[in-house]
Amino acid sequence: MNEKKFYLAVDIGASSGRHILGWFENGKIRLEEIYRFENKLIKKNGHLCWDIENLFNEVVEGLKKCKELDRVPASVGIDTWGVDFVLLDADGKILGDTVAYRDSRTKGMDNEVYRVIGEKELYARNGIQKQLFNSIYQLMAIKKFQPELLDKAEHFLMIPEYLNYLLTGEIKNEYTNATTSQLVNAKTQDWDFELMEMLGIPTKIFGKLYMPKTSVGLLAEEISKRVGFQTEVVLPATHDTGSAVMAVPTTEDDSIYLSSGTWSLMGIERLIPDCSEKSREHNFTNEGGYHYRYRYLKNIMGMWMMQNLRREFKHKYTFEELYKLAYIGRYFTSVVNVNAEDFLAPDSMIKALQNYCAKTNQEVPETHCELLYCVYCSLARCYAQTVVEIEEVTGKKFKQINVVGGGCQDQFLNALIATETGKEVFAGPIEATALGNLMAQMLKDNVFEDLNEARKVVAKSFDVKPIEKTLRF
């Protein structure tokens, strides 16, 4: 009989998903990845969509793997990216397609919203960074082009909430992910029903908001039979960044975090939101965090650009080779705005970079070295500017940057961040999102007294490396 008590994090990103088991042993958190699967966009009815049925099947396959390995978890938590959602009818069936945030259906929807409520007033209510793919603009697109779907809708569920529903039959909306919709009031920390009524979005579809550590319920009987065991589904911070920030291994308030993955999320943790005009002008967001904390951060295009370049290159470079190529290209001086719409979902990232440099009267990158260094340098400069803005808005100096997530393995980018920001930079843990997911489950199970204690254990459990400003190959 295995005496270890396992918890399972199902961490689904835009390109892949993983099932990671965690347990507490000898004062440390241990991790084991037991299942990995691909996630990608599909074209359906003229839109970029998620294959939600396949995603759920992969969740179930990973659960079955737990049984095969005799590692049955005491609980399971699912986290994913934010903003995307499904609408369910009265029978619990999906209405329409599960359209992804990179789809172009939201073009012009910001103006539809601003006809009803001004941009400044909107930010003053929710404090959320304007991004054209936020749920508020997706809902306006549905209202404009497919109003019949809203008419039939009974429930609004973010992606992890829908996967929880398929596992348990229970419907629960979770706070951290809900805040990415731009429909939660930053001060009341609840749905802004008045705003929804102003926009003509039905309020009945939005349920009570639950906090991380809440039990969703046990596996439905049919699912329990499929996977071979019974377990409890628990809400982590279901927005992956909310989970990643929980695992930042510091309890100090002089640290900036950078959750580095397909997207980069850079910011600080606060107890009070900043919905000021100055904050809006700098495009910061006040997303919900664990225990009603605020993730005061900026969304920045991250490793997405690098991932797309790597896919386009005919030679299948290893990551180590990419670093070396970028290092060789450090003579190249052109810099792009990594957050420009040009790079959100281009058919070719190479052409998008070249076209952007041409239209901004800069030298056009031609070689792999130049393309890579252009992206690396542009990202590092963006991070450095974000640090300046955080310090300006808060009136406070920060000593260090903690880089967590898969992108913290990128030695070259870390060195550039240290150089461009002039801050102490620490890298790790790599599996921050899955860790935060597991921490919420363990906190529910009283493994740790509070988040501070859990973070101290993370710092003891995982290799967190200081970064040198100079990287040589």
Side-chain angles (χ1 to χ4, degrees):
M1 182 77 177
N2 203 324
E3 292 180 8
K4 291 174 187 168
K5 192 167 188 180
F6 296 106
Y7 305 88
L8 180 67
V10 183
D11 171 30
I12 307 176
S15 56
S16 67
R18 294 91 44 80
H19 288 58
I20 296 181
L21 279 168
W23 65 97
F24 188 61
E25 182 178 33
N26 298 327
K28 293 184 177 181
I29 299 174
R30 306 293 187 187
L31 299 180
E32 180 184 7
E33 182 182 303
I34 61 161
Y35 191 72
R36 182 178 282 261
F37 56 93
E38 184 184 16
N39 184 26
K40 62 182 180 181
L41 295 171
I42 56 173
K43 286 203 170 176
K44 193 174 178 184
N45 298 320
H47 293 284
L48 290 173
C49 299
W50 299 110
D51 189 346
I52 197 76
E53 186 178 334
N54 181 63
L55 269 185
F56 179 65
N57 287 335
E58 294 287 13
V59 169
V60 170
E61 286 303 309
L63 290 172
K64 287 160 76 172
K65 195 72 175 174
C66 292
K67 179 65 175 176
E68 285 174 31
L69 297 172
D70 191 26
R71 284 163 165 73
V72 173
S75 63
V76 179
I78 301 177
D79 67 78
T80 74
W81 64 97
V83 307
D84 286 341
F85 58 87
V86 299
L87 297 175
L88 302 186
D89 66 15
D91 297 321
K93 304 298 182 189
I94 287 186
L95 292 160
D97 298 321
T98 310
V99 180
Y101 64 87
R102 290 192 189 276
D103 186 73
S104 60
R105 69 173 172 170
T106 54
K107 192 171 183 180
M109 291 304 108
D110 49 346
N111 293 326
E112 293 290 324
V113 171
Y114 299 153
R115 284 194 190 102
V116 178
I117 180 171
E119 188 173 355
K120 292 180 183 180
E121 188 187 343
L122 183 63
Y123 187 86
R125 295 177 81 105
N126 55 53
I128 296 297
Q129 175 183 8
K130 180 191 174 178
Q131 295 181 114
L132 199 51
F133 48 68
N134 288 350
S135 315
I136 189 173
Y137 304 116
Q138 294 196 45
L139 283 162
M140 290 303 282
I142 294 172
K143 183 187 169 198
K144 188 174 177 71
F145 301 114
Q146 295 176 292
E148 69 282 2
L149 297 187
L150 279 180
D151 291 341
K152 294 176 185 172
E154 292 292 330
H155 300 284
F156 169 98
L157 292 181
M158 309 295 271
I159 299 298
E161 297 163 356
Y162 178 62
L163 296 173
N164 287 341
Y165 167 64
L166 294 180
L167 285 176
T168 65
E170 299 292 331
I171 288 177
K172 282 189 177 171
N173 293 122
E174 188 271 328
Y175 170 68
T176 69
N177 217 345
T179 62
T180 71
S181 69
Q182 214 171 340
L183 291 166
V184 171
N185 186 291
K187 294 178 179 67
T188 66
Q189 298 168 320
D190 200 355
W191 295 117
D192 192 334
F193 291 119
E194 184 183 36
L195 173 63
M196 294 171 191
E197 286 170 355
M198 289 165 66
L199 296 171
I201 296 169
T203 58
K204 68 174 182 178
I205 65 178
F206 300 91
K208 178 182 173 182
L209 290 179
Y210 292 89
M211 292 300 293
K213 293 200 305 183
T214 302
S215 173
V216 179
L218 297 176
L219 296 179
E221 188 178 344
E222 177 204 343
I223 302 299
S224 178
K225 284 178 182 173
R226 277 177 70 183
V227 302
F229 62 88
Q230 182 56 272
T231 191
E232 183 182 24
V233 178
V234 170
L235 292 175
T238 63
H239 185 216
D240 49 12
T241 311
S243 279
V245 169
M246 283 181 68
V248 174
T250 179
T251 56
E252 304 299 321
D253 63 357
D254 62 353
S255 177
I256 291 171
Y257 58 77
L258 172 60
S259 178
S260 181
T262 301
W263 282 92
S264 294
L265 298 306
M266 191 174 207
I268 57 175
E269 204 168 46
R270 305 183 85 168
L271 298 178
I272 299 170
D274 183 350
C275 302
S276 67
E277 183 57 15
K278 187 175 185 180
S279 180
R280 185 191 71 81
E281 286 170 354
H282 284 303
N283 211 20
F284 280 100
T285 199
N286 295 268
E287 291 175 357
Y290 176 78
H291 210 261
Y292 292 115
R293 288 166 166 82
Y294 291 89
R295 293 175 281 132
Y296 189 69
L297 58 83
K298 186 172 283 195
N299 282 278
I300 300 166
M301 198 83 73
M303 308 308 287
W304 165 255
M305 299 175 77
M306 224 78 70
Q307 291 161 0
N308 277 265
L309 285 179
R310 188 171 181 242
R311 273 195 288 268
E312 280 189 73
F313 293 157
K314 287 180 182 175
H315 182 78
K316 299 302 175 192
Y317 295 113
T318 64
F319 287 107
E320 191 69 27
E321 288 170 335
L322 289 177
Y323 307 156
K324 289 178 181 177
L325 286 170
Y327 181 78
I328 292 166
R330 67 193 185 283
Y331 60 85
F332 192 71
T333 57
S334 299
V335 175
V336 303
N337 173 10
V338 295
N339 295 318
E341 201 175 321
D342 312 51
F343 308 119
L344 188 61
D347 292 330
S348 165
M349 189 61 75
I350 292 173
K351 287 179 181 173
L353 284 162
Q354 291 172 334
N355 292 340
Y356 187 95
C357 288
K359 76 181 181 183
T360 53
N361 299 315
Q362 299 184 86
E363 186 180 351
V364 174
E366 298 291 348
T367 67
H368 289 184
C369 299
E370 291 173 352
L371 286 160
L372 286 164
Y373 188 73
C374 179
V375 171
Y376 271 109
C377 184
S378 299
L379 277 172
R381 295 269 176 90
C382 185
Y383 298 148
Q385 180 58 35
T386 302
V387 169
V388 170
E389 291 174 4
I390 289 172
E391 293 184 335
E392 182 187 331
V393 171
T394 61
K396 181 179 175 181
K397 290 289 180 185
F398 292 85
K399 182 181 175 185
Q400 67 185 48
I401 299 170
N402 283 83
V403 186
V404 300
C408 80
Q409 299 170 92
D410 195 317
Q411 305 159 33
F412 188 55
L413 183 57
N414 288 341
L416 282 176
I417 293 168
T419 301
E420 292 290 335
T421 64
K423 305 290 185 185
E424 293 177 26
V425 177
F426 296 88
I430 296 164
E431 297 292 357
T433 303
L435 249 179
N437 182 324
L438 293 165
M439 286 161 68
Q441 296 178 59
M442 290 178 172
L443 281 160
K444 178 185 181 295
D445 213 14
N446 298 314
V447 176
F448 309 114
E449 186 179 336
D450 56 24
L451 183 58
N452 274 354
E453 184 191 341
R455 281 175 166 162
K456 286 174 184 173
V457 172
V458 169
K460 280 197 306 181
S461 304
F462 300 94
D463 193 15
V464 180
K465 299 175 182 175
I467 299 299
E468 301 264 342
K469 289 185 182 178
T470 306
L471 183 64
R472 293 185 179 87
F473 289 99

